[in-house]
Amino acid sequence: MTTVEHHDLHHDFPEMSEQIRSLKMKDRHFARLFDEYHELDREVRKIEEDVEPTSDDHLEQLKMRRVHLKDDLYTMLKQA
């Protein structure tokens, strides 16, 4: 079985945990993007773990969306 890497924000940016918590509480836009990002991450992990079959193209689209969301969230965290 392949080990699937977790990409949650607290794991990727442990030094920003406080900003993540704060923005989730105060900024509705950040909270919505945060939820969307984590839902996408769960979906990608299911596919990578062979729980949910899909095409390679679809998986790549999901991964690209996840990268763009992470970039947006990181930008918001740096500005907080």
Side-chain angles (χ1 to χ4, degrees):
M1 182 171 181
T2 307
T3 303
V4 177
E5 192 174 329
H6 289 263
H7 289 277
D8 67 273
L9 291 182
H10 290 285
H11 182 264
D12 285 351
F13 307 125
E15 72 285 359
M16 295 182 155
S17 284
E18 193 54 47
Q19 291 101 310
I20 292 169
R21 270 191 292 282
S22 177
L23 277 176
K24 278 173 46 182
M25 302 292 272
K26 295 189 294 189
D27 186 327
R28 288 176 58 195
H29 179 64
F30 180 89
R32 186 181 59 73
L33 292 180
F34 180 90
D35 290 344
E36 184 180 345
Y37 173 84
H38 282 85
E39 183 58 40
L40 217 69
D41 188 49
R42 277 190 292 276
E43 193 174 341
V44 168
R45 280 202 322 265
K46 280 189 211 173
I47 293 166
E48 290 178 336
E49 292 168 349
D50 292 328
V51 173
E52 206 170 281
T54 191
S55 70
D56 289 345
D57 285 344
H58 182 67
L59 177 58
E60 288 308 309
Q61 288 173 356
L62 292 175
K63 285 181 174 183
M64 285 305 297
R65 177 71 181 135
R66 181 176 66 181
V67 166
H68 291 295
L69 275 172
K70 184 184 242 177
D71 287 346
D72 291 347
L73 289 163
Y74 183 70
T75 299
M76 293 171 81
L77 284 166
K78 284 195 322 189
Q79 292 172 349

